[in-house]
Amino acid sequence: MTIQWFPGHMTKARRQIEDKLKLIDVVIELLDARIPLSSRNPMVDEILKGKPRMVLLNKHDLADPVVTAEWVRYFADQGLQALPIDAASGTQVKEILPRAKALWAHKIESQLRKGINPRAIRALIVGIPNVGKSTLINQLAGKKIAATGDKPGVTKGQQWIKVGTEMDLLDTPGILWPKFEDQMVGLRLAATGAIKEEILHLDEVAFFSIKYMVQHYGTALQERFGIAEMPDDLDDPNQIVSVMEAIGRKRGAIVSGGKVDLDKASLIIIRDLRAGKLGRISLEKPTDY
Ligand code: G4P
């Protein structure tokens, strides 16, 4: 789902989340494991206020496990438990309930002390578009329920989905907007498919991706596309473009006269990257900050 975010949409989205927050005990913040900070809403702490919260690093199947472990430590340093998951296949999804219970344990204990039977924990999933909110809701529900969440400004009756007997999940997630001001963030979002490539120039997104991969995943790049010569100077844009051209030639992205069609080559690069054809690749590390 692509949403063009304008200030009015952001205000509405924020208000919708604030309304939902009144009903819930625990927030499940969904981030993209390949770009955890770039896929995070810039105002999330302010919007969620003090609600007990866990972070899920989704699409871990596509992310570099070594870098994801660094991110888990990064969030732990901030007092946030981060759990890598793969909502599409369901990997680690069973860990969510015990974590939600741990976050809500103080309340459950106080209810038990008062002789009250604790009710199911009420949870809400929040995250930017395409991070996998609907996929996770369906996975937790054990069936296909959610469409693609509600759009800002479109109100809909809230319904609870039972996750076993101990957790109730709101059927519509809270949709947050990404951070746009930073060009690097935009490029990372586009490279992973969080925002559609039409917003940014395809060749710019591919250029950024190739440069990052030359730096961190050179072998994967060489193996996938059979590139003989790798750049020795990352600050030389011509060397990065040469890699893009080599990929274009290898994959038949040629226009008449034998020149490489850079747009086609860019599309091939981005599609392969997003689909995990180059292996598990993260496009952001805690040390980038
Ligand atoms: P949203 O509600 O947050 O907007 O996201 P949604 O669940 O619709 O998921 C967006 C895309 O991400 C979907 O791909 C979905 O299958 C994929 N996805 C979700 N979780 C995971 C995961 O853990 N691993 C992988 N590899 N993919 C995941 P799609 O249907 O192909 O949509 P699109 O990519 O064509 O937009």
Side-chain angles (χ1 to χ4, degrees):
M1 175 175 52
T2 307
I3 299 174
Q4 296 283 353
W5 292 96
F6 296 106
H9 291 137
M10 295 182 190
T11 309
K12 274 179 193 158
R14 184 177 179 162
R15 219 174 279 146
Q16 282 182 344
I17 291 187
E18 281 167 353
D19 282 348
K20 290 176 206 261
L21 282 179
K22 290 175 198 148
L23 308 171
I24 67 114
D25 306 322
V26 169
V27 177
I28 298 170
E29 185 190 3
L30 209 51
L31 303 178
D32 187 318
R34 298 166 293 176
I35 52 164
L37 288 196
S38 293
S39 60
R40 196 169 210 205
N41 174 274
M43 294 173 75
V44 70
D45 290 338
E46 202 183 314
I47 294 169
L48 300 179
K49 302 195 179 78
K51 281 278 175 191
R53 176 177 18 153
M54 77 179 86
V55 167
L56 300 182
L57 301 172
N58 192 36
K59 308 196 186 185
H60 182 45
D61 55 308
L62 298 173
D64 180 340
V66 175
V67 179
T68 303
E70 289 172 25
W71 281 113
V72 170
R73 283 194 293 277
Y74 169 93
F75 285 107
D77 287 345
Q78 301 192 352
L80 276 170
Q81 278 209 2
L83 174 71
I85 66 156
D86 167 2
S89 75
T91 307
Q92 285 294 82
V93 166
K94 280 201 164 60
E95 267 301 303
I96 296 172
L97 178 62
R99 295 220 177 185
K101 279 167 78 173
L103 283 172
W104 201 235
H106 60 289
K107 210 62 185 211
I108 294 174
E109 279 156 21
S110 104
Q111 284 172 333
L112 284 172
R113 265 197 308 274
K114 288 179 200 151
I116 304 168
N117 230 355
R119 60 164 170 74
I121 302 167
R122 293 177 186 153
L124 169 70
I125 292 171
V126 302
I128 65 167
N130 272 318
V131 73
K133 298 178 296 300
S134 308
T135 308
L136 179 60
I137 292 174
N138 288 324
Q139 192 64 249
L140 283 167
K143 57 188 164 189
K144 191 151 176 58
I145 290 181
T148 33
D150 51 3
K151 291 191 178 181
V154 183
T155 44
K156 197 180 140 190
Q158 304 290 350
Q159 289 195 15
W160 297 98
I161 294 164
K162 287 221 156 303
V163 182
T165 53
E166 292 174 293
M167 186 157 97
D168 288 344
L169 182 68
L170 267 190
D171 72 336
T172 52
I175 301 176
L176 288 164
W177 59 95
K179 189 173 166 185
F180 304 107
E181 306 77 34
D182 182 332
Q183 200 215 357
M184 287 300 284
V185 170
L187 288 168
R188 291 187 193 108
L189 288 167
T192 52
I195 53 177
K196 300 294 168 199
E197 56 268 22
E198 306 87 68
I199 298 172
L200 286 162
H201 290 293
L202 214 61
D203 51 354
E204 272 182 84
V205 179
F207 182 94
F208 156 78
S209 306
I210 291 294
K211 189 172 169 183
Y212 196 88
M213 284 190 281
V214 167
Q215 200 176 0
H216 299 285
Y217 300 98
T219 312
L221 197 58
Q222 280 186 291
E223 280 174 6
R224 173 78 184 160
F225 298 114
I227 296 160
E229 224 177 298
M230 290 288 273
D232 53 22
D233 180 5
L234 279 172
D235 292 324
D236 178 1
N238 291 325
Q239 291 196 21
I240 307 295
V241 172
S242 294
V243 174
M244 294 166 68
E245 285 174 341
I247 294 170
R249 260 192 304 277
K250 176 96 186 159
R251 298 284 286 269
I254 308 286
V255 282
S256 57
K259 274 188 72 178
V260 172
D261 181 337
L262 216 52
D263 279 341
K264 251 193 198 156
S266 298
L267 195 60
I268 290 166
I269 293 163
I270 295 166
R271 282 198 181 144
D272 276 17
L273 174 66
R274 286 180 183 171
K277 298 266 173 66
L278 286 129
R280 296 176 71 174
I281 287 179
S282 295
L283 292 172
E284 172 172 75
K285 292 177 177 219
T287 46
D288 291 341
Y289 291 88

